[in-house]
Amino acid sequence: MEKCRRGSQQGSADFSSSITSPDFEMSWAQKDEDQGNFFHRTWDGFKRDPNRMISPKGVVGADGKVFDAEAAAHATADSPLHRRLKGRHLQMIAIGGSIGTGLFVGSGKALATGGPASLLIAFSLIGIMLYCTVHALGEMAVAFPVAGSFSAYSTRFLDPAWGFAMGWNYALQWLVVLPLEVVAASITIDYWGSPISNAVWVTIFLVVIISINLFGVKGYAEAEFIFAIIKILSVLGIVLDIGGGPNGTYIGGKYWINPGAFHNGFKGLCSVFVTASFAFAGTELVGLAAAETANPRKSLPTAVKQVFWRICLFYIVSLTLVGLLVPYTDHRLIGASSDYDAHASPFVIAIANAGIQVLDSVMNVVIMIAVLSVGNSSVYGSSRTLAALAEQKQAPRIFAYIDKRGRPLVAIIFASALGLLAYIAASPNQDAAFTWMVALSGLSSIFTWGSICLSHIRFRKAWKLQGHSLDELAFRSQAGVIGSWLGFALNCLVLAAQFWTGFAPVGYAENTPSENVSNFFQAYLAAPIVLAFYIPYKLYYKTPFMRCADMDLQTGMRELNLAELLAEERAEQAAWPKWKRAYKFLC
């Protein structure tokens, strides 16, 4: 009633904005779905949502060599994406969104390169960096749950040109991941010596992933909810290490003594940093999903806090066990036919060493499902980023087409079409093609995470400068600004380590000069691509570096009476017993 009274007082302008609200939109869509037969409803669902415009009429956008940061902020805040994600969806996206070949297979190569101690140190440091990064992202995403998330924050708090570069960097990362992961899933079938062509499996997996995403954000979320459950199998290593396998052999920590804890010295450790960064890619998806969450103020903090437990359980604990179960001298770790060969998975090797006959096949199924999960996330991540870029006039406007069911339909179709590159798996040139596609996405996450930390630092400075207090924030990063500085520094450290190991990798003296040049660009290709997006856009549109006094800190906030809501919630929390307050702080 209060909302109606405000609308009547403010006249027709507010009435026109009220009919574009998500509640009106969903009630309109529900009424439309109740009309006509099933075929008509299905066909009608693909039409553009008539109640929303991508950006307000009459504003000056990126055309005419002028970029309007305020208009871009409004466009991403008013995105017509449906807000249907629930708390359990966000929690599973946070827990299982990025666990794939980087953990299950890539960790084997990292173990062979650096040894078990390097594996543990590198993944722990990257885990600390991700903890700080995701908390910084969570704070901004709860305050501004807008489409495009971190690329939109770079546009709003850093520089529109950098936001443009980060948006396309992130979109390209996920666009190439889809064909890579589909091929990876088909390669897992080869573990059983299947006589069926990989092209057949590529077709099946593409159909599955595309179908899931055509069900909209709810379809993606439910699929991820199911996929994430398989991650509990990593605790198997505890049983094997203490002699629980058929061989009954107690292993303990003998492989840390012989052949040893480190391999290839400091350079081996730096090489593992790169693998760890690739393995953690996708952790930030929980922030991207904020724009499609029914109540981000309630759901996002829980999902963000659980990232810490995910890092500890699924990465640190499982990789500690891997280092105990498999020596880095095992020839199978480096005998893979590709980065997705399950024969090189230290998890599969540990099971084989224990003498368990069937469980290695079960683990291969786990790897295949995890790979499909990452492929599913790739369509979601790329399509939402492309739609947000289009809403800010930083990509072709056709990508901003949102249908009545809240799907960025054109962006989904485009991302799915690039999945057809997976058919290269049936050609003799697959190794070269996919090596360079991996190079495109190699460093992308580092730039994304560094931009999130820097955006948070700038946001906090602007928040204070414009007279706001931290008590006005619904969720605050547990690591704070210091954590964001630490995360940013660690991202820079990984970039430096990648440059060194790309320029002079382990064993580079045995390579030819052309091989070393090729290896460097495979390791560092993402950096020149980011600059290729940033510099021309910066020069053409002459975008300004955003000043703290000029930053928009209002557009995109959902609750109009946020201060009152927070006061009520904090009064309720003050009455909680100590155990509940401790639990809510941690989870």
Side-chain angles (χ1 to χ4, degrees):
M1 291 297 294
E2 180 62 25
K3 187 175 182 179
C4 294
R5 285 196 296 269
R6 285 199 303 268
S8 63
Q9 292 170 359
Q10 295 175 3
S12 60
D14 279 4
F15 175 76
S16 62
S17 64
S18 70
I19 66 170
T20 65
S21 68
D23 294 338
F24 184 90
E25 171 193 332
M26 293 188 68
S27 65
W28 185 93
Q30 184 63 46
K31 181 179 178 182
D32 181 75
E33 289 175 5
D34 292 338
Q35 299 173 354
N37 55 36
F38 174 79
F39 177 79
H40 177 268
R41 293 198 307 271
T42 302
W43 176 256
D44 203 48
F46 287 97
K47 295 180 180 178
R48 186 188 287 271
D49 190 328
N51 293 323
R52 292 280 191 151
M53 292 176 293
I54 296 307
S55 57
K57 292 182 178 180
V59 302
V60 179
D63 39 358
K65 282 197 171 186
V66 177
F67 186 89
D68 191 333
E70 184 177 350
H74 278 283
T76 52
D78 296 334
S79 171
L81 294 171
H82 281 189
R83 296 165 180 172
R84 294 180 177 175
L85 290 182
K86 298 179 180 178
R88 66 182 179 91
H89 297 138
L90 279 184
Q91 290 164 25
M92 283 302 174
I93 291 171
I95 291 172
S98 68
I99 297 178
T101 54
L103 173 64
F104 289 123
V105 182
S107 57
K109 184 178 179 181
L111 176 61
T113 303
S118 293
L119 190 71
L120 192 59
I121 292 170
F123 272 81
S124 297
L125 287 176
I126 299 298
I128 292 171
M129 184 245 296
L130 258 296
Y131 171 78
C132 298
T133 301
V134 173
H135 269 264
L137 175 61
E139 180 179 307
M140 293 186 292
V142 170
F144 309 103
V146 299
S149 188
F150 25 84
S151 65
Y153 301 144
S154 293
T155 295
R156 187 184 288 204
F157 302 130
L158 298 177
D159 178 4
W162 188 250
F164 169 78
M166 286 301 96
W168 276 105
N169 166 67
Y170 195 71
L172 285 175
Q173 172 192 343
W174 284 118
L175 287 171
V176 299
V177 161
L178 175 60
L180 283 170
E181 297 298 329
V182 169
V183 170
S186 68
I187 290 175
T188 60
I189 303 296
D190 293 338
Y191 185 81
W192 296 290
S194 172
I196 302 174
S197 170
N198 277 359
V200 176
W201 296 111
V202 165
T203 303
I204 293 172
F205 295 142
L206 274 176
V207 169
V208 170
I209 290 173
I210 294 170
S211 299
I212 288 172
N213 279 273
L214 285 178
F215 277 102
V217 66
K218 205 67 181 297
Y220 161 75
E222 293 294 351
E224 282 304 303
F225 184 82
I226 296 170
F227 288 155
I229 296 174
I230 54 93
K231 310 308 190 283
I232 60 173
L233 290 176
S234 62
V235 300
L236 173 69
I238 298 174
V239 178
L240 297 180
D241 185 65
I242 61 175
N247 293 340
T249 303
Y250 176 79
I251 299 173
K254 69 177 184 179
Y255 292 138
W256 280 61
I257 301 171
N258 183 23
F262 292 94
H263 189 217
N264 292 317
F266 184 65
K267 184 173 287 187
L269 172 63
C270 291
S271 298
V272 178
F273 271 120
V274 178
T275 304
S277 301
F278 175 78
F280 278 112
T283 307
E284 70 288 336
L285 276 171
V286 66
L288 193 66
E292 297 176 85
T293 303
N295 191 346
R297 185 171 57 82
K298 292 283 189 180
S299 304
L300 266 175
T302 300
V304 166
K305 291 173 187 175
Q306 289 181 352
V307 168
F308 171 78
W309 300 109
R310 187 194 109 188
I311 290 171
C312 288
L313 176 62
F314 295 117
Y315 283 94
I316 307 305
V317 172
S318 62
L319 290 175
T320 300
L321 293 169
V322 161
L324 293 171
L325 293 168
V326 182
Y328 68 74
T329 53
D330 195 308
H331 65 91
R332 290 168 292 183
L333 292 172
I334 56 175
S337 60
S338 74
D339 288 339
Y340 306 102
D341 187 353
H343 289 87
S345 168
F347 294 85
V348 173
I349 292 172
I351 291 169
N353 290 346
I356 305 175
Q357 297 299 320
V358 181
L359 208 54
D360 58 337
S361 291
V362 174
M363 193 66 209
N364 192 54
V365 173
V366 170
I367 294 172
M368 182 180 68
I369 293 175
V371 167
L372 289 176
S373 170
V374 177
N376 183 41
S377 297
S378 71
V379 177
Y380 178 83
S382 59
S383 62
R384 269 58 181 184
T385 304
L386 284 173
L389 286 169
E391 286 171 345
Q392 298 175 84
K393 300 185 179 181
Q394 294 178 331
R397 294 297 298 276
I398 188 64
F399 287 133
Y401 183 102
I402 312 291
D403 67 13
K404 292 181 180 179
R405 298 184 185 275
R407 298 170 295 196
L409 196 60
V410 175
I412 289 175
I413 293 172
F414 179 73
S416 302
L418 287 185
L420 299 177
L421 290 172
Y423 285 105
I424 297 176
S427 77
N429 298 321
Q430 65 163 334
D431 289 341
F434 284 100
T435 295
W436 288 103
M437 278 198 285
V438 169
L440 276 173
S441 61
L443 280 179
S444 298
S445 295
I446 302 300
F447 285 103
T448 298
W449 299 334
S451 296
I452 290 171
C453 292
L454 198 55
S455 295
H456 180 245
I457 292 167
R458 297 288 293 161
F459 159 69
R460 277 288 191 95
K461 186 174 182 181
W463 189 258
K464 181 179 180 180
L465 184 67
Q466 295 186 24
H468 297 282
S469 69
L470 295 182
D471 290 335
E472 297 175 52
L473 295 172
F475 172 71
R476 278 177 279 178
S477 166
Q478 291 179 348
V481 177
I482 294 176
S484 293
W485 276 114
L486 175 62
F488 182 72
L490 287 173
N491 275 288
C492 293
L493 177 64
V494 172
L495 284 176
Q498 177 74 328
F499 184 87
W500 183 39
T501 56
F503 179 76
V506 174
Y508 74 96
E510 301 172 3
N511 299 334
T512 64
S514 61
E515 287 175 338
N516 284 329
V517 171
S518 177
N519 289 338
F520 174 75
F521 280 103
Q522 288 174 16
Y524 229 70
L525 184 61
I529 288 178
V530 167
L531 294 177
F533 277 107
Y534 175 70
I535 294 174
Y537 194 93
K538 181 74 174 177
L539 295 176
Y540 185 78
Y541 291 116
K542 296 180 172 61
T543 58
F545 294 105
M546 302 305 295
R547 298 174 64 250
C548 292
D550 299 331
M551 291 179 189
D552 181 0
L553 300 181
Q554 298 300 324
T555 302
M557 286 190 169
R558 286 194 193 171
E559 286 88 0
L560 298 177
N561 57 337
L562 182 60
E564 291 80 0
L565 289 172
L566 290 177
E568 292 177 7
E569 289 177 2
R570 286 165 183 165
E572 179 184 350
Q573 292 167 6
W576 286 350
K578 290 183 178 179
W579 68 266
K580 188 173 183 179
R581 275 182 282 179
Y583 173 78
K584 288 295 184 180
F585 176 81
L586 295 173
C587 300

